[in-house]
Amino acid sequence: MKLIFLFLYFLLAGLGSDGQNLRATLSHALDNLEKDEQFAHALTGMYVMDMGNGNIIFERNAQVGLAPASCQKIITSATAFALLGTNFNFATIISTDGVLKENRLQGNLIIQGSGDPSLGSWRWSSTTQNSIFNRVKNALQLKGISSVSGSLIADDSRYILQPVPDGWIWQDIGNYYGAGSWSLNWHENQYDLHLRSSSETGIITTVLNTSPFDLTRFIKNSISSGVRGTGDNGYLYAAPFSETIFAMGTIPPGENDFVISGSLPNPPAQLSSDLNSFLLKNNVRILGA
């Protein structure tokens, strides 16, 4: 973090200078960043443009394809604001293809997504699973619906079938930071794998549970206890729509509840399953589920 702060200091220090001085300041700061031992095997890129006239102030490896890191969120967020506006809201629509007869919906209950990334997120009270599900329950109760003769359908057709872009590596896509983008996202498309490790090196860990969803039946665990001081080197391997999640690598020894976060292989299916269970507990039966 100190390296990043120093880099930003040099960057901001040169903003008041003319273009040539700023170019030299950026080059010097990036040189120092790349010389650090933590970047010994890294490839960096930078592209700075004057938004007033479109002139390129500084660039290095601007045409080299690099794996995006968290700083890429700045670009995607700015693009979303530019294209959608700051007041845009995603709409997740609950609808039916049937008719209501004596408190029974003759047809299917359909959840149609539009890519809302916050659906089921724990970060805001209005987006949590309970908040979303209670709104669905209340809407059904308002209509007097106590059962659905058809199925609960998760309509994920708004986007293309492939939720993960070409080129993403196998070591990334099964982990939380490699979660794909779906029409129906759920709980930020993330789950946690809880492990217990032996105090001895090389012993296979014990799977305690997965939360907030029970995915233990999909986990093929071969994560072992590593050498003390080596940290978290555990990875989850799973493709979209997969029913097998391979857990591999090592975690620190002597851990009672070590958490590795993964990406949900099928968020729409998980959403449908969770909502069906919730409605059943609240006396709304999906007969065709």
Side-chain angles (χ1 to χ4, degrees), residues 166-272:
D166 291 337
W168 281 22
I169 65 173
W170 179 231
Q171 194 178 34
D172 285 348
I173 61 176
N175 299 285
Y176 76 97
Y177 49 81
S181 179
W182 306 67
S183 298
L184 276 171
N185 301 294
W186 187 234
H187 198 264
E188 300 189 10
N189 301 343
Q190 176 181 322
Y191 70 94
D192 292 334
L193 170 63
H194 296 256
L195 301 168
R196 178 185 295 123
S197 61
S198 170
S199 58
E200 298 180 35
T201 300
I203 306 299
I204 297 297
T205 57
T206 300
V207 174
L208 301 175
N209 57 69
T210 60
S211 63
F213 320 110
D214 183 9
L215 303 177
T216 53
R217 65 192 182 279
F218 300 131
I219 303 291
K220 302 296 183 183
N221 180 43
S222 63
I223 293 179
S224 61
S225 50
V227 176
R228 193 168 299 278
T230 54
D232 180 4
N233 290 296
Y235 294 90
L236 299 170
Y237 297 84
F241 305 103
S242 172
E243 293 188 356
T244 303
I245 301 170
F246 298 98
M248 304 175 69
T250 64
I251 63 172
E255 294 285 343
N256 290 321
D257 188 2
F258 192 86
V259 177
I260 297 178
S261 297
S263 60
L264 278 175
N266 196 333
Q270 187 65 52
L271 167 58
S272 179

Side-chain angles (χ1 to χ4, degrees), residues 89-149:
N89 288 307
F90 289 92
T92 302
I93 300 172
I94 309 294
S95 62
T96 179
D97 57 5
V99 294
L100 180 61
K101 291 184 178 180
E102 298 181 353
N103 296 330
R104 174 176 292 185
L105 178 61
Q106 302 285 355
N108 300 303
L109 192 63
I110 304 167
I111 314 169
Q112 185 178 28
S114 64
D116 186 351
S118 69
L119 195 67
S121 173
W122 63 92
R123 300 180 193 275
W124 303 276
S125 59
S126 62
T127 63
T128 63
Q129 174 173 315
N130 283 339
S131 175
I132 298 297
F133 285 176
N134 278 316
R135 289 163 65 184
V136 175
K137 180 195 69 174
N138 293 339
L140 294 177
Q141 290 179 342
L142 188 63
K143 295 290 185 180
I145 298 173
S146 59
S147 65
V148 177
S149 65

